[in-house]
Amino acid sequence: MEHVVKPWAEVAPRLVAVAAGREAADLVIRGGRLVNVQSREILDGWEVAVAEGRFAYVGPDAGHCIGEGTQVVEADGRYLIPGLIDAHMHIESGMLTPAEFAAAVIPHGTTTMFTDPHEIANVLGLDGVRMMHDEALMQPVNIFTQMPSCAPSAPGLETTGHEISPEDVAKAMSWPGIVGLGEMMNYPGVVAGDPKMLSEIAATMRAGKTVGGHYASPDRGAPFHAYVAGGPADDHEGTRESDAIDRVRQGMRSMLRLGSAWYDVESQITAVTEKGLDPRNFVLCTDDCHSGTLVDDGHMDRVVRHAIDCGCDPVVALQMATINTATHFGMERELGSIAPGRRADVILTSDLKALPIEQVFARGVLVAENGDLRVTCPHYDWPLKARDTVRLGKELVADDFHVEAPEGASTVRARVIGVVENQAPTRALIRELSVQGGAVMPEGPVARIALVERHRGTGGVTNGFVEGFGYEGRMAIASTVAHDSHHMIVVGTDAEMMARAANRLGRVGGGVTVWRDGEERALVRLPIAGLMSDAPAREVAAAAQAMGDAMREAGCRLNNAYMQHSLLALVVIPELRISDLGLVDVTRFEITGPFEGQD
């Protein structure tokens, strides 16, 4: 079953008739306090009447809209706020399909998501994007798709399962649920005038849709200005107040994110709360949320609460999660406010600061109440090609995970990826490591890292070193979630454990596995593209919790360490990463060797 809301133009006669009192509304909510994000007011006693899944009347008294068959909901003095909107996110990061992600976030008041499925694009190409798009349109809430722009995210520095072309982008712009281009991560390409990147942006602009941005560089000189001139309209990569200010001064929307591993709201929202900048160009998003975060902490309700705790006026925070986002995507006449003609997405809450999500209506239908989902979220029939994506090409052995030292060396000065807790960037470290039997032997805080090719079965393994997880004993963790190329990342202290972990994921078709002292201690099965499970969020969260427990038992104390693990191959964010082609110096966008002095 597809949950379809008819266009405003098509149902306007009915909306007019209901607002005028000639016809009865389908739903009336009365006796509440309406939060008007259009005018930044709280209107006591205002009521709403809904017909055809849209608001027909919004005003002081909807009594004339009530007739036989009208469902009347008593707000009992509670606030009516618009359904919450996530401005930028990746469903795959929750390890869930669109249906199960929707089922997890609807009780938290999220009724609209702008999603970029570039994870599955790297594995299955345009076909994978279409599968995500099609399941998204089946849901009882609004899930819009941004066509991924960068697969690979950095051409020449990694090899993906599939590539996205300008022709793919142009084709997708005609699909009903496509609202724009996903984050343009290849900012060096845009700045350099790369024809492929500019062609994708042009195809999006010609279709009248929004170009998503991703400028992960601290350089605010000519490159930044050149990037903005290319067309990206927003950016979620800011971490400092000055980042937010610099973006909005250039006419971009500054997207402030609070995800499972990103804590970038508090450091930037001071641009509004202290510097007094106009908040209309600031929006809230999650970017990446684990299933555990969704189940235990919430989704966009969590972000809004956090913004309020950081000193933001509650109504302004709500604007950043509703009307500002809708306006950014050119959909303010469709979404983001409680106003005539808009989709009837509304939340009832008794406290604007604590923001308990007590009742959620989407398109005029009660979809959740007091944390319980009240609707079905239909599943797409994922084909075999989406479930057969982990191809290692051979049985891996311990020797595949050794780094050979230069001949005759007793020690080496090795390049080491330094993990930074709660942040996307890494540090490029140099550490002196010992050599035994011609192989480099990391010890202490330095562990092994490998990227295993899994799309084409080449048997390729790139090896390096990583610091910051704190692992101890004989252990390994392997994951087929490896942003953005989504090969397989294996981190460990023991080469034999690393081989066993990698081979295990080859057998089960993808996921995450933790091994210690010769035994598997946790497994999260992700059979769809090696990225997602079609099980409910609570089941996936339980498996992910066991994974996190196993990581901690192996000595890791980082907050959301798995998210940090999955980003170690993200070759568009500085400073040092790993890909199937080697170590990547992201400050120069060049492949580099494992030892100091190698370029």
Side-chain angles (χ1 to χ4, degrees), residues 366-430:
L366 180 67
V367 291
E369 189 166 21
N370 297 321
D372 294 327
L373 186 70
R374 293 298 183 92
V375 289
T376 298
C377 296
H379 281 238
Y380 179 79
D381 185 12
W382 294 86
L384 178 61
K385 68 179 177 181
R387 297 175 179 271
D388 178 26
T389 64
V390 183
R391 306 178 187 94
L392 302 185
K394 67 178 185 181
E395 187 81 3
L396 295 165
V397 296
D399 283 350
D400 289 314
F401 297 92
H402 285 293
V403 175
E404 186 177 338
E407 188 172 350
S410 59
T411 63
V412 296
R413 286 180 60 78
R415 288 193 171 93
V416 176
I417 301 170
V419 173
V420 182
E421 188 170 21
N422 290 333
Q423 288 192 14
T426 63
R427 293 178 295 157
L429 307 175
I430 299 293

Side-chain angles (χ1 to χ4, degrees), residues 558-571:
L558 288 181
N559 178 56
N560 260 307
Y562 172 69
M563 185 69 83
Q564 304 294 132
H565 174 104
S566 70
L567 294 172
L568 292 171
L570 188 54
V571 297

Side-chain angles (χ1 to χ4, degrees), residues 7-9 11-12 14-20 34 36 38 43 46-60 64-65 323 331-345:
W8 185 350
V11 299
R14 172 100 194 276
L15 301 183
V16 170
V18 170
L34 190 141
N36 192 316
Q38 299 277 10
L43 303 167
W46 274 41
E47 303 178 350
V48 300
V50 175
E52 303 288 349
R54 295 180 180 272
F55 295 114
Y57 172 86
V58 179
H64 64 291
C65 305
I323 188 63
M331 302 188 74
E332 67 275 12
R333 297 278 290 168
E334 189 72 16
L335 305 163
S337 64
I338 301 174
R342 279 65 168 182
R343 298 186 186 193
D345 303 333

Side-chain angles (χ1 to χ4, degrees), residues 26-298:
D26 301 328
L27 166 72
V28 166
I29 303 175
R30 65 187 183 188
R33 307 178 69 193
L34 190 141
V35 177
N36 192 316
V37 294
Q38 299 277 10
S39 60
R40 202 182 301 163
E41 295 177 285
I42 297 174
L43 303 167
D44 286 337
W46 274 41
E47 303 178 350
V48 300
V50 175
E52 303 288 349
R54 295 180 180 272
F55 295 114
Y57 172 86
V58 179
D61 183 358
H64 64 291
C65 305
I66 298 173
E68 189 175 346
T70 300
Q71 177 190 4
V72 178
V73 172
E74 301 293 347
D76 295 325
R78 291 176 292 176
Y79 296 94
L80 279 67
I81 64 174
L84 302 178
I85 304 177
D86 194 340
H88 172 74
M89 56 168 288
H90 309 283
I91 285 175
E92 304 100 313
S93 294
M95 299 181 178
L96 305 168
T97 59
E100 290 301 335
F101 200 101
V105 303
I106 289 171
H108 292 293
T110 301
T111 57
T112 300
M113 292 168 265
F114 290 94
T115 70
D116 178 357
H118 72 216
E119 320 303 350
I120 202 169
N122 279 273
V123 180
L124 293 169
L126 191 61
D127 284 348
V129 176
R130 185 76 204 212
M131 295 172 199
M132 294 288 285
H133 167 275
D134 289 355
E135 182 164 293
L137 290 185
M138 296 164 66
Q139 304 314 309
V141 291
N142 315 305
I143 305 181
F144 298 104
T145 302
Q146 294 173 284
M147 177 60 196
S149 62
C150 299
S153 60
L157 299 180
E158 64 182 357
T159 311
T160 57
H162 285 267
E163 292 191 11
I164 294 296
S165 69
E167 291 75 24
D168 291 335
V169 171
K171 181 177 181 181
M173 288 301 141
S174 65
W175 298 353
I178 295 286
V179 294
L181 189 67
E183 54 183 304
M184 178 49 72
M185 294 177 290
N186 187 1
Y187 58 88
V190 175
V191 172
D194 178 84
K196 179 181 177 183
M197 297 299 98
L198 296 184
S199 292
E200 291 184 2
I201 292 174
T204 307
M205 288 177 154
R206 291 190 185 105
K209 300 180 187 293
T210 305
V211 178
H214 171 119
Y215 185 81
S217 169
D219 188 344
R220 293 295 179 272
F224 173 63
H225 292 269
Y227 181 74
V228 178
D234 55 59
D235 201 341
H236 56 275
E237 287 298 329
T239 60
R240 306 166 303 174
E241 179 187 85
S242 61
D243 294 337
I245 292 172
D246 288 343
R247 284 159 171 79
V248 300
R249 282 176 175 171
Q250 295 295 316
M252 302 179 89
R253 254 73 178 208
S254 179
M255 292 187 170
L256 314 183
R257 64 182 172 182
L258 178 72
S260 292
W262 317 135
Y263 291 76
D264 300 322
V265 174
E266 186 173 8
S267 60
Q268 297 184 89
I269 203 165
T270 52
V272 172
T273 59
E274 295 179 11
K275 291 294 192 296
L277 269 64
D278 189 334
R280 64 178 174 164
N281 287 321
F282 293 80
V283 299
L284 297 173
C285 69
T286 63
D287 200 355
D288 297 294
C289 269
H290 280 174
S291 53
T293 301
L294 302 179
V295 170
D296 298 329
D297 301 323

Side-chain angles (χ1 to χ4, degrees), residues 304-329:
V304 173
R305 287 188 202 105
H306 177 65
I308 294 168
D309 288 343
C310 291
C312 190
D313 177 274
V315 179
V316 173
L318 286 171
Q319 287 178 311
M320 292 180 182
T322 57
I323 188 63
N324 291 7
T325 310
T327 300
H328 175 57
F329 288 98

